[in-house]
């Protein structure tokens, strides 16, 4: 095993004796972040030790485990880091509405916020936060929270300059919330959003005069939209409205867990999502392989694609993805795509394009391309057609591959191809 560096040994020693440390002095950013991760993993980060990562000149703070930091400790962040622009709090289950609002009021330069696990914050309190943060917010991420209609309405109305929005596993996020990203089409939708616009006009925030009630406007700066695994059912027609309204400006789209999405949605994606570089549709199992193939044949330049648990994915869909995005693709997940995907689909990653022959004959090699020459991360877990021979072909062509996940692939053995820099994750023979 490789010996740890002196720097790593010092970081670990500090983490073990953190209660005796008064100040870290001049510590480099990477070392400080490494120490932060270690003490978070040891669950010793609390309201006292968090001060080691604070400072009046800090513009970015990340706390990886806030489990032991109470609401009062979280409110102290605005007092100790008044210049903060980026805030990332994970496992912040003790955060309440008052501490959230205090952050918005006490951090006038705050632009980027990530809050994971803030389940105590109510819908109305999220809304108050967005009204206070307003146009200065550039990116927002929340996971495992009760993020509902009032919060979404306030975000869409007041945070008009937002560029990245990520909502994952939010228990109150429903189809009405999704519809707020699209043009209102019913009197109910228009009335609900107009009330929030009137409130914005009364406060006079933004570049318009007090009392000016604007009409509905899309989030014109939005480039990243991730709405992962909603707890409530989503309607495909609403998702299609969102794609029509925002698709042309999006660079990243993640609708993993939207099980109602169908082939019509992919048709709208092909028509409107013309600038996408990253796409995640994991567990969208109502989309057929033909619709996927037609979409990838119309769009190119993808760098990251997640099609895990899209059970109707076919060899042809993977072939079209490789033909049009093989040169740019870096990350690809085909996790659990086992129903219709064969070895021929996997061999497409190496540029081997097979086509079916009539009369039940064996498929023949119809075309040889460069394949996914830049692919770095591949997930083929629970795809039973993955074998040592298939991986030998893929690895020999995809020379930048660094990680291959093969959980549940019983045909991948210790004889799978290896080379320096390549690792297998989940290989059975490594755990026996």
């Amino acid at each position: 095993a490789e010996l740890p560096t002196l720097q790593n040994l010092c970081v670990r020693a500090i983490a073990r004796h953190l209660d005796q440390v008064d100040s870290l002095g001049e510590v480099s950013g990477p070392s400080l972040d490494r120490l932060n991760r270690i003490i978070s993993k040891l669950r010793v980060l609390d309201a006292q030790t968090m001060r080691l990562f604070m400072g009046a000149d800090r513009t970015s703070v990340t706390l990886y485990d806030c489990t032991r930091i109470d609401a009062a400790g979280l409110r102290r962040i605005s007092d100790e880091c008044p210049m903060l622009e980026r805030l990332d709090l994970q496992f912040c289950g003790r955060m309440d509405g008052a501490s959230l609002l205090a952050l918005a009021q006490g951090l006038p330069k705050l632009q980027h916020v990530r809050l994971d696990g803030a389940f105590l914050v109510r819908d109305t309190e999220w809304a108050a936060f967005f009204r206070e943060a307003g146009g200065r917010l550039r990116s927002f991420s929340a996971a495992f929270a009760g993020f509902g209609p009032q919060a979404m309405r306030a975000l869409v109305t007041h945070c008009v300059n937002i560029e990245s929005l990520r909502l994952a596993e939010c228990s109150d996020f429903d189809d009405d919330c999704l519809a707020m990203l699209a043009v209102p089409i019913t009197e109910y939708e228009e009335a609900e959003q107009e009330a929030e616009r009137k409130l914005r006009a009364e406060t006079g925030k933004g570049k318009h005069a007090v009392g000016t009630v604007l009409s509905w406007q899309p989030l014109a700066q939005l480039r990243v939209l991730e709405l992962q695994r909603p707890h409530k059912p989503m309607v495909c027609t609403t998702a299609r409205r969102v794609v029509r309204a925002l698709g042309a400006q999006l660079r990243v789209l993640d609708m993993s867990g939207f099980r109602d999405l169908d082939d019509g949605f992919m048709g709208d994606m092909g028509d409107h999502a013309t600038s996408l570089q990253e796409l995640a549709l994991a567990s969208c199992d109502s989309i057929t392989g033909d619709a996927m193939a037609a979409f990838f044949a119309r769009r190119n330049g993808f760098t990251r694609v997640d099609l895990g648990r899209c059970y109707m994915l076919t060899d042809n869909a993977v072939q079209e993805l490789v033909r049009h995005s093989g040169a740019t693709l870096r990350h690809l997940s085909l996790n659990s795509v086992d129903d219709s995907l064969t070895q021929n689909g996997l061999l497409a990653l190496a540029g081997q394009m097979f086509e079916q022959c009539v009369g039940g004959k064996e498929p023949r090699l119809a075309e040889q391309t460069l394949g996914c020459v830049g692919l770095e991360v591949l997930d083929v877990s629970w795809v039973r057609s993955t074998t040592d021979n298939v991986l030998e072909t893929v690895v020999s062509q995809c020379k930048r591959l660094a990680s291959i996940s093969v959980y549940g692939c019983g045909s991948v053995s210790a004889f799978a191809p290896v080379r320096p820099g390549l690792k297998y994750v989940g290989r059975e023979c490594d755990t026996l």
Side-chain angles (χ1 to χ4, degrees):
E2 184 178 349
L3 291 175
T5 64
L6 178 60
Q7 186 181 56
N8 285 337
L9 291 173
C10 291
V11 168
R12 294 175 188 177
I14 293 173
R16 287 195 300 269
H17 304 284
L18 197 64
D19 56 332
Q20 303 175 31
V21 179
D22 295 324
S23 174
L24 293 176
E26 295 296 329
V27 179
S28 66
S31 295
L32 193 64
D33 185 71
R34 191 179 305 115
L35 176 62
N36 192 350
R37 290 178 182 273
I38 291 174
I39 70 171
S40 295
K41 188 174 182 179
L42 295 175
R43 291 291 176 90
V44 295
L45 184 66
D46 56 24
Q48 297 301 318
T49 55
M50 66 178 277
R51 62 183 169 78
L52 298 173
F53 306 101
M54 304 289 136
D57 59 341
R58 295 293 300 274
T59 60
S60 176
V61 166
T62 299
L63 300 178
Y64 295 103
D65 189 346
C66 302
T67 305
R68 300 182 61 186
I69 304 176
D70 57 15
L74 295 172
R75 284 196 293 271
R76 279 173 41 201
I77 295 176
S78 58
D79 297 330
E80 300 192 20
C81 305
M83 306 299 292
L84 209 60
E85 299 176 4
R86 186 180 300 271
L87 179 62
D88 185 343
L89 302 178
Q90 300 177 28
F91 298 100
C92 55
R94 302 175 72 177
M95 171 175 279
D96 57 16
S99 56
L100 177 64
L101 187 58
L103 292 174
Q105 294 172 339
L107 298 172
K109 295 187 176 183
L110 188 63
Q111 298 179 22
H112 308 278
V113 178
R114 174 182 174 180
L115 303 171
D116 288 357
F119 54 84
L120 293 180
V121 180
R122 292 174 293 186
D123 199 21
T124 55
E125 294 166 337
W126 283 115
F129 169 79
F130 291 126
R131 294 180 190 124
E132 183 64 34
R136 71 176 187 263
L137 203 62
R138 293 295 185 272
S139 68
F140 178 78
S141 172
F144 305 101
F147 194 97
Q150 294 187 59
M152 192 66 185
R153 193 176 302 117
L155 185 150
V156 171
T157 304
H158 298 273
C159 304
V160 294
N161 295 317
I162 197 163
E163 300 169 2
S164 174
L165 175 62
R166 172 182 173 266
L167 301 172
E169 304 271 5
C170 290
S171 58
D172 294 333
F173 188 86
D174 57 17
D175 195 67
D176 289 340
C177 296
L178 181 64
M180 294 174 198
L181 293 169
V183 182
I185 59 174
T186 66
E187 292 183 0
Y188 170 77
E189 289 181 356
E190 178 61 36
E192 289 293 308
Q193 295 194 29
E194 185 178 9
E196 191 67 40
R197 292 199 295 270
K198 288 182 178 179
L199 181 60
R200 182 189 179 195
E202 292 171 1
T203 61
K205 290 189 176 182
K207 61 182 180 180
H208 300 281
V210 176
T212 303
V213 181
L214 302 176
S215 60
W216 179 89
Q217 295 178 337
L219 295 175
Q221 305 302 319
L222 193 65
R223 297 294 181 267
V224 178
L225 180 61
E226 300 180 56
L227 306 173
Q228 303 165 4
R229 300 176 297 279
H231 289 193
K232 296 186 177 182
M234 298 291 160
V235 180
C236 182
T237 53
T238 308
R240 295 177 67 175
R241 288 172 52 198
V242 173
V243 168
R244 295 188 196 113
L246 301 174
Q249 66 192 55
L250 293 178
R251 303 293 182 268
V252 178
L253 179 64
D254 187 341
M255 285 190 159
S256 298
F258 281 59
R259 295 185 177 278
D260 195 51
L261 299 186
D262 58 18
D263 293 356
F265 172 81
M266 296 306 297
D268 283 334
M269 287 276 290
D271 293 335
H272 299 280
T274 55
S275 301
L276 274 184
Q277 298 173 0
E278 298 183 19
L279 176 65
L281 296 174
S283 300
C284 297
D285 49 13
S286 297
I287 303 175
T288 66
D290 291 341
M292 287 281 193
F295 170 72
F296 288 125
R298 298 176 63 183
R299 294 286 167 254
N300 55 27
F302 285 103
T303 59
R304 182 188 299 266
V305 175
D306 184 354
L307 302 176
R309 298 177 183 82
C310 292
Y311 298 116
M312 290 191 279
L313 191 73
T314 59
D315 295 345
N316 188 34
V318 177
Q319 289 174 351
E320 293 297 341
L321 172 62
V322 175
R323 281 193 181 100
H324 295 85
S325 297
T328 57
L329 198 62
R330 299 292 179 266
H331 296 253
L332 175 63
S333 175
L334 301 175
N335 189 302
S336 303
V337 182
D338 193 51
D339 291 1
S340 303
L341 191 66
T342 70
Q343 290 188 359
N344 295 333
L346 296 176
L347 290 173
L349 302 178
Q352 297 184 9
M353 305 299 177
F354 286 84
E355 66 176 16
Q356 295 293 332
C357 299
V358 296
K361 297 180 180 179
E362 288 292 320
R364 69 177 186 87
L365 182 61
E367 181 184 358
Q368 176 68 57
T369 68
L370 293 177
C372 299
V373 292
L375 192 64
E376 299 171 2
V377 179
L378 175 64
D379 186 352
V380 287
S381 299
W382 310 104
V383 179
R384 286 173 290 184
S385 54
T386 306
T387 64
D388 291 349
N389 290 334
V390 169
L391 290 177
E392 181 73 44
T393 304
V394 172
V395 169
S396 64
Q397 185 69 14
C398 305
K399 301 186 183 301
R400 295 182 61 182
L401 260 177
S403 175
I404 305 177
S405 295
V406 290
Y407 288 100
C409 297
S411 299
V412 178
S413 69
F415 299 101
V418 294
R419 66 163 180 246
L422 174 64
K423 68 175 181 179
Y424 288 93
V425 181
R427 188 166 54 171
E428 290 183 4
C429 62
D430 295 335
T431 57
L432 293 178

